[in-house]
Amino acid sequence: MKKTKIVLGILASCVSTALYAQNPIIQTHFTPDPAPMIYQDRVYVYTGDDLPGYDFYYMTKWRVYSSADMVNWTDHGVPISLESFSWARDRGWAAQCVERDGKFYWYICAQTINNDMAIGVAVSDSPTGPFKDALGKPLITTGSWSNIDPTAYVDDDGQAYLYWGNAHLYYVKLNKDMISYAGDITEVPQSVASFGGLRKPGRSDEALKKGEEYEDVFVEGPWFYKRNKKYYLMYAGMTKGVECLSYSTSSTPVGPWQYQGKIMTGQPTNSFTNHGGVIDFKGNSYLFYHTGLLPGGGSYGRSTAVEAFNYNKDGSIPNIAMSKEGVTPVGTVDPYKKNEAEMMAWSEKCTTAENAETGVYVTQIRTGGYIKVRAVNFGDRGAESFSARLAAGLDGGILEVRLDSLAGTQVAAVQVPRTGGWNTWQTFDVPLSQSALGIRDVYFVFKGQNITAGRELFNFDHWSFHEKK
Ligand code: FUB
């Protein structure tokens, strides 16, 4: 491909759909408690999984997505679930994965058979798994309901720390193996100076939810990291009965902590909780958080969202507002390589599933649905044909390829027949009716053929374009 000159700073204005919704970044599943991690030029975001229709956090599995450009997110499926931990029985809550020396340590928390919460760790050689429970038992188990929301960080001197907590905040020094610890578990003292507010002894969560008296306290969801020699502890605090994101800083990894204020508060979130993670990627800083704003969502149907922000000169974090537009691309998609159908900037009327043979694929595709892929770089020569791997257990449908918007120029259409099964895959090649050039948004639009509206049409595994010779 002849390289098109890209000025990423103006990419957003080149792409006509840039003002369309980008948050929540995943539309196919609920994805609470996002924990971002950077590895080899990609951002991985590890999330929980809220179950639609429940009225509590009865969560059973954890998901992974990744992106090289911050807008197109590839679904890597469900590498771990409660079943991966023989000691876990319910409430697979917030987690974080960190890399050390080429191994990936995914710290999770779950309810044990003793009816308390404990922290465990799964390990893998790859950021997307397979992961295996490293210990066959919890790493942190003190019989407390405060053993939730682990966050790990490996400091420049090689010492790793694990923080966690709900109401009470704890840390421990991890050994180099990342699956054991040295020394005692330490509870971090809380004061107005360190975390902005203080729970009165005996003060119930119900009273706290009413939100009087003390505006901000450490509630849960710590996120521990270091930037420019300063240690940051972001966490879910409280504003008038709804969680906000607040932060404290320290000159050492173990405090004393100094309260710095709220980062995200008073937003139209539709969720009682918030839970976040912060990263620097390709020259920008990003806050990941969750909302209940996906259709059908709420406090128990939460989804990952992301905003870009700039640290102030003194390292302080500004107030960050939730947006529908999210962030602009920091890279482009190469259409001439194999691209997974489950790489999406936005989608409607479809979801994803996985099996051993195909891996993750797009399924439950219905008329009126679509997948949007942003900032696809066709280059100066452009594309002349399109191919897609598809399967249909019933009568199939039409996969239209459109540029720039849902109603934009249709450059190709694949007539998908009944292939013999939902996992009986065929690759279809079709010429483009007109060339695709430059950086464009691509829409894969799903249509039925004079058949019952609402019926499942076909499954979609991967796609690519072919460049003009
Ligand atoms: O997702 C379940 C729990 O809700 C998490 O562990 C907390 O941080 C809150 O987001």
Side-chain angles (χ1 to χ4, degrees):
M1 173 173 59
K2 201 172 159 194
K3 267 200 168 168
T4 301
K5 279 188 187 161
I6 309 160
V7 183
L8 291 173
I10 59 165
L11 199 55
S13 56
C14 299
V15 180
S16 60
T17 50
L19 290 178
Y20 287 16
Q22 184 73 46
N23 276 329
I25 61 171
I26 310 296
Q27 306 81 40
T28 45
H29 301 279
F30 288 121
T31 52
D33 303 326
M37 178 194 78
I38 294 161
Y39 182 65
Q40 291 183 345
D41 277 344
R42 287 187 82 79
V43 177
Y44 291 82
V45 59
Y46 296 80
T47 77
D49 178 83
D50 277 347
L51 293 169
Y54 284 83
D55 58 356
F56 189 64
Y57 309 105
Y58 298 115
M59 299 153 68
T60 62
K61 48 187 176 290
W62 292 269
R63 299 180 173 278
V64 188
Y65 299 83
S66 77
S67 176
D69 56 28
M70 289 299 296
V71 295
N72 297 299
W73 291 93
T74 300
D75 187 334
H76 298 287
V78 177
I80 50 171
S81 61
L82 288 176
E83 290 82 351
S84 313
F85 303 90
S86 58
W87 51 270
R89 65 185 295 210
D90 201 350
R91 299 175 195 189
W93 287 359
Q96 185 186 355
C97 185
V98 295
E99 184 262 348
R100 179 169 200 162
D101 300 331
K103 281 202 180 298
F104 298 85
Y105 301 91
W106 197 346
Y107 298 91
I108 60 99
C109 60
Q111 188 183 7
T112 74
I113 50 170
N114 299 324
N115 233 8
D116 54 9
M117 293 295 286
I119 292 170
V121 55
V123 66
S124 174
D125 294 328
S126 147
T128 56
F131 280 87
K132 192 175 178 311
D133 183 3
L135 298 167
K137 60 180 185 179
L139 171 66
I140 306 289
T141 175
T142 58
S144 164
W145 272 91
S146 289
N147 291 334
I148 72 167
D149 297 2
T151 174
Y153 181 75
V154 185
D155 206 350
D156 302 332
D157 62 2
Q159 177 62 60
Y161 298 85
L162 187 75
Y163 273 85
W164 71 93
N166 173 295
H168 300 272
L169 175 65
Y170 302 95
Y171 77 86
V172 78
K173 287 182 177 177
L174 291 170
N175 291 327
K176 221 173 165 192
D177 65 11
M178 300 294 277
I179 59 169
S180 62
Y181 59 87
D184 292 334
I185 292 171
T186 304
E187 179 166 0
V188 178
Q190 294 187 41
S191 65
V192 173
S194 60
F195 294 100
L198 198 58
R199 270 168 203 257
K200 274 186 178 170
R203 192 161 187 241
S204 71
D205 275 351
E206 283 317 305
L208 200 67
K209 279 181 197 168
K210 290 192 189 131
E212 328 98 2
E213 208 169 348
Y214 294 104
E215 265 248 313
D216 211 357
V217 290
F218 168 79
V219 179
E220 57 188 358
W223 180 262
F224 176 53
Y225 67 102
K226 183 186 189 178
R227 190 177 187 274
N228 294 340
K229 297 186 181 158
K230 197 183 268 200
Y231 295 88
Y232 290 77
L233 197 73
M234 184 174 78
Y235 55 90
M238 187 67 76
T239 307
K240 295 196 170 90
V242 177
E243 285 189 0
C244 58
L245 293 178
S246 306
Y247 78 113
S248 303
T249 60
S250 175
S251 56
T252 86
V254 294
W257 294 98
Q258 276 195 315
Y259 178 65
Q260 300 296 334
K262 294 176 184 180
I263 298 171
M264 180 173 265
T265 184
Q267 298 292 301
T269 167
N270 197 30
S271 162
F272 164 66
T273 62
N274 198 348
H275 187 118
V278 171
I279 50 159
D280 287 344
F281 181 62
K282 296 193 176 171
N284 301 306
S285 299
Y286 296 100
L287 171 71
F288 287 72
Y289 60 97
H290 70 215
T291 73
L293 295 174
L294 200 64
S299 281
Y300 308 107
R302 303 159 297 168
S303 302
T304 294
V306 64
E307 309 294 345
F309 72 95
N310 293 312
Y311 285 88
N312 298 316
K313 276 204 178 103
D314 61 359
S316 58
I317 302 177
N319 283 326
I320 301 171
M322 294 177 179
S323 79
K324 274 191 183 152
E325 293 78 18
V327 303
T328 51
V330 292
T332 57
V333 172
D334 177 358
Y336 305 124
K337 70 176 184 52
K338 177 180 145 191
N339 286 292
E340 297 297 337
E342 64 272 17
M343 176 184 71
M344 309 169 177
W346 192 262
S347 69
E348 290 184 16
K349 292 193 178 173
C350 62
T351 187
T352 63
E354 62 187 306
N355 62 36
E357 195 200 324
T358 311
V360 180
Y361 58 93
V362 179
T363 189
Q364 298 280 331
I365 285 174
R366 291 190 151 77
T367 293
Y370 69 97
I371 292 169
K372 171 184 175 184
V373 183
R374 277 179 80 177
V376 179
N377 187 1
F378 289 100
D380 299 336
R381 282 217 300 270
E384 62 180 6
S385 64
F386 169 75
S387 76
R389 189 169 188 249
L390 303 151
L394 293 171
D395 290 346
I398 305 165
L399 173 63
E400 292 181 353
V401 183
R402 293 181 178 268
L403 299 181
D404 302 331
S405 74
L406 205 46
T409 309
Q410 182 186 309
V411 292
V414 181
Q415 306 284 332
V416 190
R418 191 171 181 139
T419 62
W422 294 108
N423 270 285
T424 304
W425 299 97
Q426 282 179 30
T427 300
F428 298 87
D429 287 292
V430 291
L432 297 200
S433 55
Q434 64 182 80
S435 188
L437 290 165
I439 298 171
R440 317 291 287 270
D441 286 352
V442 171
Y443 285 74
F444 299 115
V445 184
F446 312 133
K447 299 246 164 96
Q449 300 165 317
N450 303 322
I451 37 168
T452 333
R455 182 179 62 67
E456 205 177 331
L457 301 177
F458 46 83
N459 287 345
F460 190 5
D461 186 17
H462 55 75
W463 58 269
S464 64
F465 287 82
H466 308 286
E467 195 173 15
K468 264 194 187 151
K469 299 279 175 310

